[in-house]
Amino acid sequence: MRFGVVIFPGSNCEQDVVHAAHHLGFEAEYVFHRETDLAGFDALVLPGGFSYGDYIRCGAVARFSPVMSEVIRFAEAGGPVMGICNGFQILAEAHMLPGALLRNDTLKFICRDTTLRVEKSTCQWLDTAPGTVLHIPINHNEGNFICDHVTLSRMEDNDQIVLRYCEPDGSRAEGGSAPNGALEDIAGVCNERGNVFGLMPHPERVVDPATGGTDGQAFFTSIVGTLAKVAG
Amino acid sequence: MPESLSAELAPKLAVELGLNPSEYEHVVEILGRIPSITELYVYSLMWSEHCSYKHSRKALRMFPTTGEHVLQGPGENAGVISVGDGWAVAFKMESHNHPSAIEPYQGAATGVGGIIRDIFTMGARPIASLNSLRFGTLDKPRQRYLFEGAVAGIGGYGNCLGVPTVGGEVYFEEAYEGNCLINAMSIGLMREERLMRAVAAGVGNKILLIGSTTGRDGIGGASVLASQEFDEKAEDKRPSVQVGDPFEEKLLIEACLELLDQELLVALGDLGAAGLTSSASEMASRGGVGLDIEVTKVPQREENMKAFEIMVSESQERMLAVVTPEKLEAAQAICEKWGLLSTVIGEVTDTGNFVVRENGVIVADMPADSLADDAPIYDPAMTRPAYLDEVQAFDPATLIHPESVAELTETLLRLLSSPNICSRRWIWEQYDHQVMVNTVVLPGGDAAVLRIGDTGRGEMTTRGIAVSSDCNGRYCYLDPYRGAQIALAEAARNVACVGGEPAAITDCLNFGNPEKPEVFWTFHEAIRGLSDACTEWGIPVISGNVSFYNESFGNPIYPTPTVGLVGLIDDVSVTATVAFKDAGDVIVLVGETFDELGGSEYLKSVHGLVTGAPPALDLELEAAVQSAVRAAVRAGIAKSAHDCSEGGMAVTLAESAIAGGIGCSVYLDDDLAGVSSLFSESQSRVVLTVAEGDMDGLLEIFDANEVPFAVLGQVGGERLHIGEKIDVDLNTMKLIFEHTLEKLVGGEMQTEELFEG
């Protein structure tokens, strides 16, 4: 299993994703934004950070990066792509995922642990049972997910909502459990096919138990299982 | 020879630029002629207090600067210590007070940017930041603006870079109202053999300017902002504040580390205060060589810039490298890869002179070492301030104190809602404190713990460092010698609480105008105190910064010698946090409580007084307590460890209970009055918890270290119960402790109302 981890100028969580993959015994290598050859990678991760400084809308510049047309081709061929935080913002800007990420409704950057409920979805990146509550930190200024109601109901019909912010017992608070104001407490979504996945929380931060929990491990191991099934 | 100014104009301009008449005469003597305008600007900056340390240099010689871990002491961009297995960390703390008092977001942001450049200049990858902040009280809208802006600026810059902000401290005191303090500390990791020094060498080598273009921003920052007091014209100084671009800095980090990895550089320096002038002249002076710079080569972002403007601009995110002609192409290719401008602006010469040309015409020609080393050194006059006798003679026993359980409980709640004690969660949740996945102990404890490892790029280890920054300015105001020692003691104690052994410190010495004898006396006493304690405990000072002229409308701030300490941990899997863990665990106090309410948060919060003698500090006892605590943590016996500081024993117990979500029942068996027993801020105290079965092991450790101790009680329940003194449920405390800061910042409530509500 070989992950490709894309580095845009301003990415800053790429080394954490590589560490997470290594910790779980997988291969992972960096892919610089000027690359146009993605041969040899089984799955791609767009990491967190501030691509190109994110001085205009987050991800708005990165989507035009040379590597992105290859990422789109990779995904169209069925290759799995996960965008974490800024990576999610880039995938949304590139229209590889529905919706958009607005500024947090608190108007503050937020770095804290969150509880997330796994929803029933077609996402190839997560095989954890629906209803499971995970502890994963968030770290962003623009994580306030939004989309129009047509898109929302299509996402619901197609099981594209992968993760929701929730209370520690798995319930959703009246008025919302999202720390950032996200519509319907949405923390992670996938495309219809389930191979492209974006989430605001940082699973790579809770893979190595020395510095966190282990709730993020499933986000790296599930896709390996999915690919094995496809290959088998 | 450059064109000299007229004999009438030159001395006048010199004074305007901040040189005094005798300093001007000295410049004339060195050059053997009247200086040119560029030379005058260059000397005025290089000899400013900020760049030359002319008032502090002598006193700083008291510091011990060597030790078993030290690889690089003071004098470079940052100090470096070895942390084991060939790994080293570079660290330094620096002030950005004056710019932040004018424009808090950019002031704080560029403060972070500047100190981080100092770290990767040494060849180290920045792995953590801390910040030490001081503001006036939050009932004033201006102070809320400054505080909120500074926190947002620190977060905005550090978060973008992907360097975790893992710790720090903040106090709100009237004394900082006109002059806030923003002290930023950065820590970087490298292999020992990669240590890089900013020493220019090799005649014919190229001077490469990397990064941002140069504009008029920050012109005269070092002399205008950092070396003068504030008055009502402070707002006019806004154009002197630089604007930060963290994205550019992130690219600089990656490009510079790659340049060093591939061994393409002879030397690397950052452009900070006094810009190109200071960076280039220091590199030349250290290398005993000359530099020849052509200013028109410098990429400019504004039109018609004068030579002197280019030389002194403090535009951010720029680095200066020395490269051999053979490696120039490869070096520039790496800069291009990262989308960075890199331009050859001059070369190393054998003249020993720092020469500046404009279109080939010499506009400045100065001996390089005269800029860096010939700055005047002063022996300022000192007088013990008159107020000290009065404050130190104050006896808190003359006040009327709360006595009943209800009164004492209410007092504890009042302290938990003090902005100087309440939870700092509102701050650190705005900082990315986990990126690089090495943060073992998160903010909110006594000290942060970081694993040593080159995440995702190289080797990971089980080693770690523990870091803490501390300074109680009140203590330093009441007794600068002892206050400075307590700053170090508390930092070291915090580090001991997570199992760390102090290795070295950096300091950021914030004081008023050194030309006032009373201010300089407090500075000198603080340095003497810190030096004595450093020497006694074998903790060297490896880097630091002096910030003078922290006054507004003639009133100096509290003397604030902030200490940033790095300690070593062999195994990061064995550490401790402040949180109580399990019901039935035994609570033990290491150390002893005395009747010491002078300078306490209790006196301030309840009586509105900042007076009395600060708590005593016995250097030997302090070392023994730290050693015992460290041993208990490292043995894996201590399930929690929390240092007793502001607010005393009651606040320490409350914080551990709130953090653990579990109460406790204790009895304080001392002969003190309730307030002293609960709120005295006696030093050299730590509260530990251990499983009952580990008590024997703990007692052996106490015995070996010959420390006084007392068994206080047990963890359990949902209340904080301190026999015959305090009884309150956990939730009441938690609500007050956790939400005070956010409510004060929001301007929703004053502390007083919050408490009554």
Side-chain angles (χ1 to χ4, degrees), chain A residues 22 37 49 63 70-71 94 96 130 167 173 201 205 231:
Chain A
H22 286 168
D37 181 5
R63 69 168 283 213
E70 293 309 306
V71 172
M96 292 171 71
E167 301 306 301
R205 294 189 177 187

Side-chain angles (χ1 to χ4, degrees), chain B residues 7 23 108 260 350 408 575 610 631 685:
Chain B
E23 288 168 348
L260 295 172
D350 59 2
L408 290 167
T575 180
V610 177
R685 293 183 302 163

Side-chain angles (χ1 to χ4, degrees), chain A residues 90-102:
Chain A
I90 295 167
L91 293 176
E93 283 288 336
H95 304 298
M96 292 171 71
L97 289 173
L101 285 312
L102 303 179

Side-chain angles (χ1 to χ4, degrees), chain B residues 544-555:
Chain B
N545 161 244
V546 179
S547 173
F548 281 134
Y549 301 98
N550 291 291
E551 306 204 353
S552 55
F553 300 103
N555 296 314

Side-chain angles (χ1 to χ4, degrees), chain A residues 217-232:
Chain A
Q217 293 188 354
F219 293 79
F220 295 88
T221 54
S222 299
I223 193 63
V224 177
T226 306
L227 289 172
K229 265 182 241 161
V230 174

Side-chain angles (χ1 to χ4, degrees), chain B residues 412-636:
Chain B
L412 170 63
L413 294 178
R414 189 178 288 264
L415 288 175
L416 290 174
S417 73
S418 157
N420 291 331
I421 286 181
C422 71
S423 167
R424 272 78 181 99
R425 183 180 297 275
W426 181 88
I427 303 173
W428 51 259
E429 280 193 349
Q430 296 184 55
Y431 301 152
D432 184 349
H433 46 264
Q434 290 176 306
V435 64
M436 297 179 137
V437 292
N438 284 323
T439 315
V440 179
V441 174
L442 302 181
D446 284 337
V449 176
L450 291 155
R451 171 175 63 182
I452 294 297
D454 191 9
T455 313
R457 294 187 181 86
E459 186 199 347
M460 300 301 273
T461 77
T462 54
R463 287 181 180 278
I465 52 170
V467 291
S468 179
S469 76
D470 288 282
C471 181
N472 182 317
R474 263 182 221 159
Y475 296 166
C476 296
Y477 162 73
L478 298 171
D479 183 341
Y481 180 90
R482 197 188 294 170
Q485 294 199 327
I486 290 176
L488 176 64
E490 187 171 347
R493 206 182 310 132
N494 284 336
V495 160
C497 284
V498 295
E501 173 97 43
I505 64 165
T506 181
D507 56 45
C508 194
L509 308 166
N510 308 274
F511 289 80
N513 180 349
E515 296 160 57
K516 295 181 182 172
E518 295 203 337
V519 169
F520 195 76
W521 186 89
T522 64
F523 174 76
H524 198 266
E525 278 299 282
I527 305 310
R528 201 170 63 82
L530 197 51
S531 300
D532 286 353
C534 282
T535 304
E536 166 79 18
W537 293 331
I539 305 175
V541 180
I542 62 158
S543 59
N545 161 244
V546 179
S547 173
F548 281 134
Y549 301 98
N550 291 291
E551 306 204 353
S552 55
F553 300 103
N555 296 314
I557 56 161
Y558 288 158
T560 312
T562 311
V563 170
L565 187 143
V566 174
L568 307 186
I569 294 178
D570 289 338
D571 180 0
V572 288
S573 68
V574 188
T575 180
T577 65
V578 300
F580 284 155
K581 300 296 182 307
D582 301 302
D585 288 346
V586 183
I587 303 173
V588 183
L589 166 68
V590 193
E592 255 180 299
T593 307
F594 301 97
D595 186 9
E596 295 181 302
L597 290 173
S600 66
E601 185 62 35
Y602 162 77
L603 274 195
K604 178 73 198 291
S605 288
V606 175
H607 299 280
L609 295 173
V610 177
T611 187
L617 180 67
D618 176 334
L619 299 186
E620 232 173 281
L621 173 66
E622 178 67 48
V625 166
Q626 288 178 24
S627 164
V629 169
R630 186 161 43 244
V633 172
R634 288 185 168 187

